Amino acid sequence: MFEVYRKELTWGGKLLTFETGKIARQADGAVMVTYGGTTVLCTAVGASSAKPGIDFFPLTVNYQEKTFAAGRIPGGFFKREGRPSEKETLVSRLIDRPIRPLFHKNYKNETQVIATVLSHDMENDPDIVAIIGASAALTISGLPFMGPIGACRVGWSGSEYILNPTVEQMKEATLDLVVAGTKEGVLMVESEASELSEEVMLGAVDYGHKEIENVIDAIIELAEVAAKEPRPLPEEPVEKDQYLKAIKPYKKKFEKAYKETDKSKRSKILNEIRNEIINELGELVNVTLASTLIKDLEADIVRGNILKTKERIDGRDTKTVRPIVAEVGTLPRAHGSALFTRGETQALVVATLGTGQDEQIIDSLEGEYRSKFMLHYNFPPYSVGEAGRVGSPGRREIGHGKLAWRAVNPLLPKGEDFPYTVRIVSEVTESNGSSSMATVCGTSLALMDAGVPIKKPVAGIAMGLIKEKKEFSVLSDILGDEDHLGDMDFKVAGTKDGITSLQMDIKITSITKEIMEIALDQAKDGRIHILNEMGKAISNSREVLAESAPKITTMKIKLEKIRDVIGPGGKMIREICESTGAKVDIEDDGTIKIAASDTESAEAAQKRINDIVAEAELGVIYSGKVVKTVDFGAFVNFLGTKDGLVHISELQDARTEKTTDICKEGDIVKVKVIGFDDRGKVKLSMKRVNQETGEDIESKKDE
């Protein structure tokens, strides 16, 4: 019934298996990939024809994690997987970015790739398996995909690179880098690093590229026996030559328009020229084809001018960064805020400090964990002068936010040194060139303004590439048009001492090591320049937090005392919070964090907790309150919530007939701890203490 094809190889010390022909046979391509004990089913389906009027490639990639893969049941009321998690969105982008440029330029059929995690061994992250599986499914599908690609994760131990480190190994690694590409070159890089040098980062990319060659060979061997017949490539439209003749005379107008340095004015002029061409072609014009050919002409003009003259759209050379203005303290009530402007790109970034109760709880296949640092990136339509829908963050917003998060995360203090939860919100208020890198710069400024003790300031820069055959130019701080018409989007973030994040996307089939090396060196110069400009606003974290920020006090108690502080059903901790106005978080190791808006509230809560956990010391004198009298003595509350018994024989030196002859409920008395009974109850004495002065009578006698 099944015609199953398998391909196996040992890769990074583990077995990598490709299998097709048994599951999802109606998809154009379906491959189940297993690495170690992690299995992902990847499918690819392309529509039989393109919809009329489509002028873009409608590719959709969906990566989805099923909780049964880890032997878990989803949380929530419905107990089933819902909207994609942040990780699922990020991995979907990770798959999309290297495969998209490898489809034939004329292919416009709706295409969908789905990667479903079926099993997770808690050692090997499914994301790499999903990228490889998507490549294999497309390669055998018959769709016009000019692959295959391979992908791997690279770690750095401090002395050597690690291929596909396990989840446990990644906790100690100083580099998390994902690289994907063809045999010819690298297509995509995504990374987080702990201030590593350009040499180490470039070496990691080169190392990863060499390691994926065996995977690419295996996919090719699988395709040789299992691939479907390739679909015919889309034919060139018959009107193409006619349209080219009509468009060609407008070349000089476009050249003049691209000399306008102001983005808004340039966009207006360009749109007028485009509309003029469409109108000239007549009512029956194929607008999709005409728009594509017009864009090609514009690309030739911009790219050719840069390669010939090294002068860009806004008049800069290839290395100059646009003018920068950095400001802090922009919003008076925010805990920390900054406005970062670079040319026509601007980000308003705000830092908010919270307590442990504000930590983000993340439910992943690996289990539940908490995050103390959140970065949320928003890209409203007005930032590019447009009117558009405002709603939940899309894949782009999530991806850009995570890139900025990776850039800043290695510089944040450890929890024990700074017990705050930190949330960053970046509102992109203008955009013409990398707003994600503006977010990195603004985040660094806002954190320092808030008094978060980051190790060093961090900045980011976006690099571009114009490449024609062997001739190329690497561009620093690219504009939006240079991004759209160029061949590479290469983002580098870091401190003056090293790289913390690197992201690269290629729109051509690949780039060489030489180009990457030039881009990294040029990016370093740009990054140092941006850091110097940021330093004019603020260069170190403020020593004090904003008045409106919560004040957190940390203390430690014995594990057996946690129950006493919480109280039955949480009664005690609720009462402390209500009476003092402070927030109290208790961790499993006995660490208590007290957050309050003022010092008085924090001290009051700390005193209440100290009273609860304090232990009576033998021979020490305390002041207490009589809470109950009985025939055999008096109970005195002498240490927070602790009571002790003053036996009737310890009330006074003389014989006592009735307890109430000496003390009554509500009396304030001085007591001395004289012992503990078998159950740990405290024995107290009043007669051994001078009730007026509080002196120890016994010690006076000894003297």
Side-chain angles (χ1 to χ4, degrees):
M1 182 176 180
F2 301 115
E3 192 173 358
V4 180
Y5 300 96
R6 287 173 63 89
K7 178 63 187 174
E8 296 180 352
L9 72 152
T10 301
W11 187 45
K14 300 164 195 167
L15 186 65
L16 175 65
T17 304
F18 297 88
E19 182 181 292
T20 186
K22 188 174 184 179
I23 296 179
R25 291 173 295 164
Q26 294 188 46
D28 290 322
V31 180
M32 192 155 64
V33 185
T34 301
Y35 188 57
T38 296
T39 301
V40 181
L41 172 65
C42 298
T43 61
V45 175
S48 57
S49 60
K51 292 181 180 178
I54 291 288
D55 62 348
F56 64 95
F57 175 34
L59 171 66
T60 305
V61 177
N62 297 100
Y63 167 86
Q64 49 193 21
E65 295 182 335
K66 301 298 182 181
T67 55
F68 61 69
R72 298 176 58 240
I73 294 175
F77 182 78
F78 293 104
K79 295 298 178 187
R80 69 177 299 166
E81 292 82 3
R83 58 179 293 182
S85 66
E86 182 179 273
K87 182 184 176 182
E88 287 173 315
T89 299
L90 293 170
V91 177
S92 295
R93 282 171 53 87
L94 211 59
I95 299 168
D96 184 301
R97 285 157 48 195
I99 65 174
R100 185 176 289 272
L102 294 181
F103 282 88
H104 191 277
K105 64 184 181 68
N106 290 336
Y107 178 69
K108 299 291 190 290
N109 299 18
E110 186 173 355
T111 302
Q112 185 177 42
V113 174
I114 299 177
T116 308
V117 181
L118 302 180
S119 179
H120 188 3
D121 61 5
M122 300 299 160
E123 287 188 7
N124 301 289
D125 198 310
D127 56 0
I128 298 298
V129 185
I131 300 172
I132 294 169
S135 170
L138 286 167
T139 302
I140 69 170
S141 67
L143 301 177
F145 175 68
M146 311 307 170
I149 64 165
C152 70
R153 172 171 272 105
V154 179
W156 174 249
S157 67
S159 58
E160 62 179 359
Y161 296 112
I162 307 167
L163 177 63
N164 295 329
T166 63
V167 173
E168 199 62 34
Q169 285 176 313
M170 283 307 305
K171 293 177 182 178
E172 305 297 326
T174 55
L175 172 66
D176 179 3
L177 181 141
V178 175
V179 58
T182 62
K183 276 197 166 186
E184 287 70 36
V186 175
L187 283 166
M188 185 272 293
V189 176
E190 183 80 35
S191 67
E192 179 183 341
S194 298
E195 293 186 275
L196 298 180
S197 68
E198 279 72 13
E199 291 75 19
V200 171
M201 296 298 288
L202 185 60
V205 175
D206 193 43
Y207 171 83
H209 183 236
K210 287 184 175 68
E211 290 294 339
I212 65 177
E213 290 184 5
N214 290 336
V215 176
I216 294 172
D217 288 337
I219 294 174
I220 292 172
E221 290 174 17
L222 179 70
E224 286 173 347
V225 295
K228 294 181 178 178
E229 285 296 317
R231 295 190 187 182
L233 294 177
E235 296 179 359
E236 294 286 355
V238 293
E239 317 100 305
K240 182 175 179 180
D241 290 340
Q242 175 194 342
Y243 284 16
L244 284 173
K245 287 179 183 178
I247 293 169
K248 191 175 180 181
Y250 288 86
K251 183 176 182 180
K252 288 188 178 180
K253 284 191 176 184
F254 277 118
E255 287 174 342
K256 185 179 178 181
Y258 273 108
K259 285 183 169 54
E260 173 57 61
T261 57
D262 183 87
K263 179 189 174 184
S264 299
K265 292 179 181 177
R266 185 173 64 249
S267 296
K268 183 180 179 182
I269 296 168
L270 289 170
N271 283 331
E272 288 173 355
I273 300 171
R274 291 163 189 153
N275 290 334
E276 190 178 339
I277 295 172
I278 298 296
N279 291 335
E280 184 183 315
L281 288 171
E283 293 181 3
L284 300 178
V285 63
N286 182 337
V287 177
T288 301
L289 174 60
S291 298
T292 301
L293 295 176
I294 292 169
K295 183 181 176 182
D296 290 343
L297 175 62
E298 292 181 48
D300 289 341
I301 292 169
V302 173
R303 294 162 64 88
N305 188 57
I306 291 173
L307 290 173
K308 288 174 187 174
T309 67
K310 304 299 180 186
E311 185 177 317
R312 297 156 66 177
I313 297 172
D314 58 0
R316 285 181 294 152
D317 60 26
T318 58
K319 296 183 179 180
T320 300
V321 177
R322 288 170 292 171
I324 291 171
V325 178
E327 304 171 19
V328 294
T330 311
L331 305 178
R333 285 291 296 168
H335 300 160
S337 60
L339 183 68
F340 180 84
T341 308
R342 186 191 62 239
E344 295 175 302
T345 297
Q346 186 181 76
L348 176 64
V349 185
V350 185
T352 307
L353 305 182
T355 67
Q357 295 178 13
D358 298 310
E359 290 177 354
Q360 184 180 18
I361 302 172
I362 299 170
D363 188 16
S364 69
L365 281 185
E366 292 82 9
E368 187 177 284
Y369 66 94
R370 292 173 175 263
S371 174
K372 293 174 64 67
F373 176 45
M374 295 161 276
L375 195 154
H376 298 143
Y377 165 103
N378 297 313
F379 192 87
Y382 66 75
S383 65
V384 287
E386 296 177 356
R389 187 182 68 86
V390 176
S392 301
R395 289 188 173 190
R396 183 180 185 277
E397 284 81 4
I398 293 171
H400 280 34
K402 190 63 175 181
L403 173 60
W405 184 94
R406 289 191 179 105
V408 177
N409 186 53
L411 284 311
L412 291 176
K414 294 182 178 178
E416 54 266 29
D417 300 325
F418 190 73
Y420 289 85
T421 297
V422 180
R423 182 189 183 223
I424 293 289
V425 176
S426 174
E427 295 289 335
V428 177
T429 49
E430 290 183 47
S431 181
N432 182 18
S434 181
S435 53
S436 62
M437 294 297 96
T439 295
V440 171
C441 300
T443 298
S444 179
L445 294 166
L447 287 171
M448 290 189 287
D449 185 50
V452 179
I454 60 175
K455 298 171 187 175
K456 297 165 194 170
V458 58
I461 185 169
M463 312 296 292
L465 174 70
I466 304 295
K467 185 176 183 293
E468 295 290 346
K469 297 181 180 178
K470 292 185 178 181
E471 193 178 4
F472 67 88
S473 285
V474 175
L475 313 178
S476 295
D477 181 25
I478 56 174
L479 300 171
D481 286 338
E482 291 170 341
D483 184 9
H484 298 148
L485 303 175
D487 299 318
M488 176 180 76
D489 184 9
F490 189 95
K491 299 185 176 86
V492 186
T495 68
K496 61 183 178 63
D497 295 321
I499 294 172
T500 56
S501 183
L502 187 154
Q503 184 187 83
M504 182 180 75
D505 291 307
I506 304 298
K507 300 173 188 175
I508 52 180
T509 53
S510 64
I511 64 167
T512 62
K513 182 179 178 181
E514 178 196 3
I515 293 175
M516 282 194 64
E517 195 167 3
I518 292 171
L520 281 171
D521 288 342
Q522 206 165 304
K524 182 178 182 181
D525 294 337
R527 189 172 79 242
I528 299 300
H529 168 74
I530 295 169
L531 284 168
N532 290 335
E533 293 298 306
M534 289 166 55
K536 295 176 183 178
I538 189 171
S539 56
N540 293 295
S541 297
R542 300 194 190 281
E543 294 184 1
V544 293
L545 303 180
E547 282 294 322
S548 56
K551 308 300 184 290
I552 296 183
T553 306
T554 303
M555 59 187 295
K556 190 103 171 179
I557 63 173
K558 294 180 179 179
L559 295 179
E560 59 268 23
K561 297 291 183 180
I562 294 176
R563 181 182 297 178
D564 297 336
V565 176
I566 295 174
K571 179 181 178 182
M572 182 59 67
I573 197 169
R574 279 198 306 272
E575 196 274 326
I576 293 172
C577 293
E578 289 169 3
S579 62
T580 65
K583 288 183 180 180
V584 180
D585 293 332
I586 304 180
E587 297 178 4
D588 293 340
D589 64 351
T591 300
I592 297 182
K593 295 174 184 175
I594 303 167
S597 57
D598 56 75
T599 306
E600 187 179 339
S601 296
E603 289 178 349
Q606 189 171 11
K607 184 179 183 304
R608 290 290 306 275
I609 294 170
N610 279 328
D611 288 344
I612 294 170
V613 301
E615 296 181 350
E617 297 181 45
L618 189 65
V620 175
I621 294 172
Y622 299 90
S623 179
K625 181 180 180 180
V626 177
V627 293
K628 187 178 181 182
T629 59
V630 290
D631 292 342
F632 53 83
F635 288 97
V636 177
N637 176 234
F638 70 100
L639 187 62
T641 58
K642 289 183 175 55
D643 295 343
L645 174 65
V646 181
H647 192 267
I648 195 168
S649 62
E650 292 290 335
L651 290 173
Q652 62 177 352
D653 278 331
R655 178 180 173 79
T656 304
E657 294 295 334
K658 291 176 64 179
T659 302
T660 51
D661 291 340
I662 305 301
C663 61
K664 296 180 177 61
E665 289 184 17
D667 287 352
I668 303 300
V669 297
K670 308 287 191 304
V671 292
K672 179 179 180 179
V673 178
I674 58 174
F676 306 91
D677 65 17
D678 295 339
R679 295 175 297 170
K681 300 294 183 181
V682 183
K683 297 178 181 179
L684 302 173
S685 173
M686 286 174 57
K687 71 179 183 180
R688 307 187 196 197
V689 185
N690 186 316
Q691 292 299 310
E692 292 183 2
T693 64
E695 289 183 307
D696 189 336
I697 296 174
E698 281 188 324
S699 63
K700 281 286 185 182
K701 288 179 180 179
D702 292 341
E703 290 175 8

